[in-house]
């Protein structure tokens, strides 16, 4: 799969960069111009530190499909699942991911942290 970026500041249009995975890309979140995260099927989490030129896998320890990722600084959540809900959290930029209690049966489709001061507060959408 490829990721398309637009350099709006320079108005140079869109261009594609390879993600390095064949899984369907589901959600993308950048914390600054260089650092970004993407989640995919089969529990795949990828991170870039150079604006998307290269992507490195960050294992979460699941084979469940992941549908959404959201970061504020170094703290991030990703959610997904099919017959069960999965929630993973990192506090160190994705180096380690911790599994958290799911929100019941069926998967979760979206996650969003509502506060820059309290990253424990989040919105989950089934």
């Amino acid at each position: 799969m490829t990721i398309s970026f637009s350099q709006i500041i320079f108005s140079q249009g869109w261009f594609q960069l390879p993600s390095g995975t064949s899984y369907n890309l589901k959600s993308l979140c950048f914390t600054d111009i260089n650092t970004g995260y993407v989640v995919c099927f089969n529990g795949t989490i990828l991170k870039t530190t150079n604006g998307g030129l290269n992507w490195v896998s960050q294992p979460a320890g699941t084979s469940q499909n992941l549908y959404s990722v959201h970061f504020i600084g170094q703290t991030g959540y990703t959610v997904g699942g099919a017959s069960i809900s999965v929630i993973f959290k990192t506090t160190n930029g994705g180096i380690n991911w911790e599994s958290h209690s799911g929100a019941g049966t069926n998967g979760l489709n979206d996650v969003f942290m509502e506060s820059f001061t309290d990253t424990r507060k989040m919105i989950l959408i089934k």
Side-chain angles (χ1 to χ4, degrees):
M1 299 300 281
T2 58
I3 300 171
S4 296
F5 289 93
S6 176
Q7 291 182 326
I8 296 171
I9 296 171
F10 303 107
S11 298
Q12 294 178 357
W14 292 89
F15 58 98
Q16 292 186 350
L17 297 172
S19 65
T21 184
S22 61
Y23 295 118
N24 292 330
L25 307 179
K26 301 308 288 182
S27 179
L28 177 72
C29 180
F30 270 77
T31 56
D32 60 43
I33 196 166
N34 290 310
T35 306
Y37 304 84
V38 65
V39 293
C40 315
F41 282 0
N42 201 38
T44 303
I45 303 172
L46 303 173
K47 178 180 181 179
T48 183
T49 56
N50 59 9
L53 294 176
N54 302 100
W55 294 89
V56 177
S57 180
Q58 295 190 307
T62 185
S63 61
Q64 292 286 328
N65 293 341
L66 300 174
Y67 294 105
S68 182
V69 63
H70 189 81
F71 269 81
I72 295 177
Q74 294 288 304
T75 300
Y77 288 91
T78 184
V79 298
S83 59
I84 61 167
S85 297
V86 294
I87 303 170
F88 291 92
K89 178 184 179 181
T90 182
T91 57
N92 57 13
I95 295 170
N96 303 104
W97 291 88
E98 299 173 1
S99 177
H100 286 263
S101 297
T105 59
N106 300 324
L108 294 169
N109 292 315
D110 205 0
V111 62
F112 180 78
M113 284 182 282
E114 62 176 289
S115 173
F116 284 94
T117 57
D118 187 352
T119 56
R120 296 171 297 168
K121 294 179 181 179
M122 65 179 149
I123 299 168
L124 300 172
I125 300 172
K126 281 193 173 206

